[in-house]
Amino acid sequence: MWRRFHAEWLLMMALLPSAMWWLQRSSDLAQIDLKVYDHVMSRAQATPSPDILVVGIDQRSLDALGPWPWPRSVHAQLLERLAPMDPKGVLLDLFLDMPSVDPEQDRLLAQAMARVPVYLPLHFTGPGNTAPDDAPGFQEPLPEFVRSAKALGHVNITRDGDAVARRMFLREGRQGKLQNYLGAYMAGHAAARDTDSPPLRQRSGGWQMQGEFGIPLAGPAGSWRTVPYVSVLRGEVPPELLRHKVILVGAVASSRLEDELSVAGAGAVTSLPSIELHANAIDALRHGTTVHFVDGAWLAAWIAVPIWLALALFRRFARKAWTVALALVAICVGFSLGIFGAAHLWLPPSAPVLGIVLGYMLWSWRRLDALFQFFQQSAAALNAVPSGAFDPERRAPVRAWDDLHAHTLMLDDAIDRIAQIRTLLSMSLWQMPVALLACRDDGTITTSNAAARALLNAQSACEAEADDPLRGRTVEALLAQTSSDEPADPFDCGAMRHWSEGIGVERTTLDGKVLRAQAAALNRLSMGDTSWLVVLHDLTAERRAEQEREQWLSFMSHDMRTPQVNILSLLDLRAHGADWLDQPLLTESLRREAERSLRLADDFVDLLKARMHSYRFVQMPAGAIALDAVDQVWAHAAQRGVKLSAEVPTEEDVELWTDAPLLTRAVVNLLNNAIRHSPSGASIRLCVSVGGEAASQRVLIAVCDEGSGMSPELLEALLRNDAEGVMPARGGDMDAAASSGFATRSHGVGLAIVRAVVDRHGGRLDGHSEPGVGTTFVMDLPRHFPADRT
């Protein structure tokens, strides 16, 4: 298809200039150029030269000297009058090829011509005239006039197809007998008589013409300085007006001797006497302002080159073809006008301009036709490709009213099908639960789905598929913001050939998420650039589960094992007869270790329940939960000699949505920790209030003790490491263990339960502690449970 389009383009390159050449020779296109030429010539009117004078045969002279033709002795008297003025030349626009009735008249005129440089015209004779062979030719004047004349030449003025005189030829005549233009002699041109150069124009009958030139006009009739014939004859003209002038003697407009020609270039089409037209031609030849007409090979090049250039540029700049066409048309017209003004060379603009316009129309038509065929074939190919599960439901066929409508419907179906498949694929990628990044071959991200943005904390202000904050970034720069446990970062290796190699190491983001990247090429075997799909596997939950499993194994192997080891040690001491270990002490020690084992098991179960239990939220007064927790630990506090006090709102109930048993268990754990780390005689306060970030929307439950306290670093570790099940021991734990007589270790299972419960309520756990002063833990809970938490 496209090969056929290129063949048609070459055919246009070959035929279009030939067609424009043929049209240039036709009358219609030539008439357009003539109209443009006339308009240009009217803007470039010449100034009449002061040394050219027209001696006019006007109506006044006819009235004074009698009807035309006058005796030749009258012309002899005129030349006698002009002889003392030493004229540069006198053109007698008279045909003297026939003898007078009185031979004396011819003798007097020939005698007068000998005193003045007189230029005589040749009489053109066509078929049916006096030509001996009934063929066009020039008839010379009588021999005595030929001998007395300065020069002979033709005065033919060529008329175009619209009968308007615009040009002349420097040489005309039958083959081998070409005659020079008479005005060329008067202008000082030394035209060659015979040359071997072929004629530029040739007409029927063997008539040939050479040296075509256009005549710039000085204006309408009467623009040249003119004096009446009779005034010169009677000596009424000042000598200064006649001296050293080029004098043209001929009929003017007022004589009505039917010697006028239609001309253009001096305004509207008008008539001009032939003598004034010769005055314009002679003056133009003298000053080199004649217009040269391009013809032959140069005209063919002027027509063909712009058309070839236009067609070449249309192919190179297809999207701007209309602009190129307008620019070339303007250049052609401007060049034609510019070279006319600079070198008086006329390049007819209509043929190249029309060729450019037709070339654009033909090229656009064939290009659109080729494009339409391409769309037709592509649409058929697209509709024929099965897409499997992603193929949308086909719409009902629509009856087409012609082939164009049918092809349009087929293209619409293909476009709709591709758009629906693309939308389905895009939505599928967006909704995939796995983090995905679509990349170019250089690693630049083009698309990311919702899971990838959430994993990389790249949420935009507008959570939409089109508003992608990761687009434009590279995978290398994105993964460079993470840390890796590998000994060397693969992106720091200078020998790495491609970014996709070595990205599969486990990485940790700044917010603690663990991920592993995996890249897959999507179109490695295609001719285009390879696209990549990067999958970011979220390993955070797995790594946290492994960490918790290791911590719980450590807890089970240490904390749960310690009471059992103590029991076995006590029994072994008793069996070996330890004197200090009597029966009551042994019984009490075994009871304490057994209760400790049960308490650890209960804490373990409670922690699992706090983390995995399906919470049942109801609206409960916060004060009731606090008082219930105090009741549960009151006996333990009394045994340790610690005073408990509860401060709850009395003026109104502070209610919140909560799982009451688990929240009570969390408060009990905080109280137990405070009792365990408080000395005898200390006070512990449990406070419930409304406050926080929004005073009417949050409930604060605080436990304040006067225990041993802890360092800020240890408190920060307790509050931050919410995944740990076992916490470092505080100083008071070691004191309590020493006082019991056994090597025990404090644990943080109770605080882990508190963190789990607070997190499931959508709150946060905060605290403040100073060594030797005491510790305060605050549970900041929302009164209304967030709708996005389960």
Side-chain angles (χ1 to χ4, degrees), residues 648-700:
V648 298
T650 57
E651 62 277 5
E652 61 181 9
D653 291 335
V654 178
E655 295 185 345
L656 74 161
W657 285 88
T658 179
D659 188 320
L662 284 176
L663 184 57
T664 302
R665 175 61 173 157
V667 177
V668 168
N669 284 355
L670 289 179
L671 292 174
N672 282 332
N673 282 341
I675 294 170
R676 186 165 60 251
H677 295 92
S678 297
S680 179
S683 297
I684 298 176
R685 293 185 302 129
L686 176 61
C687 303
V688 178
S689 62
V690 177
E693 295 179 349
S696 61
Q697 298 296 326
R698 305 192 72 83
V699 175
L700 304 179

Side-chain angles (χ1 to χ4, degrees), residues 242-259:
L242 300 173
R243 186 172 288 113
H244 305 305
K245 295 293 193 298
V246 175
I247 298 176
L248 308 180
V249 180
V252 296
S254 62
S255 65
R256 300 178 182 177
L257 293 178
E258 298 181 356
D259 195 24

Side-chain angles (χ1 to χ4, degrees), residues 401-419:
W401 49 271
D402 66 351
D403 290 341
L404 178 62
H405 190 206
H407 296 322
T408 304
L409 293 177
M410 182 185 297
L411 182 59
D412 289 341
D413 288 340
I415 293 175
D416 291 343
R417 183 167 177 256
I418 294 300

Side-chain angles (χ1 to χ4, degrees), residues 175-237:
Q175 187 173 3
K177 297 181 180 181
L178 298 182
Q179 300 293 332
N180 291 331
Y181 171 52
L182 184 61
Y185 290 114
M186 300 188 70
H189 280 227
R193 293 287 180 177
D194 294 300
T195 63
D196 296 330
S197 58
L200 294 178
R201 297 288 180 88
Q202 185 166 352
R203 293 178 182 173
S204 60
W207 193 259
Q208 297 177 344
M209 299 169 290
Q210 284 184 331
E212 183 182 20
F213 68 94
I215 309 171
L217 302 180
S223 298
W224 293 90
R225 179 175 293 180
T226 304
V227 294
Y229 187 102
V230 67
S231 297
V232 177
L233 191 63
R234 294 174 179 177
E236 299 173 354
V237 178

Side-chain angles (χ1 to χ4, degrees), residues 468-492:
D468 193 346
L470 298 180
R471 182 182 292 117
R473 303 177 63 181
T474 63
V475 176
E476 291 179 297
L478 199 64
L479 296 183
Q481 300 177 357
T482 63
S483 59
S484 174
D485 295 333
E486 297 291 332
D489 194 335
F491 295 115
D492 295 334

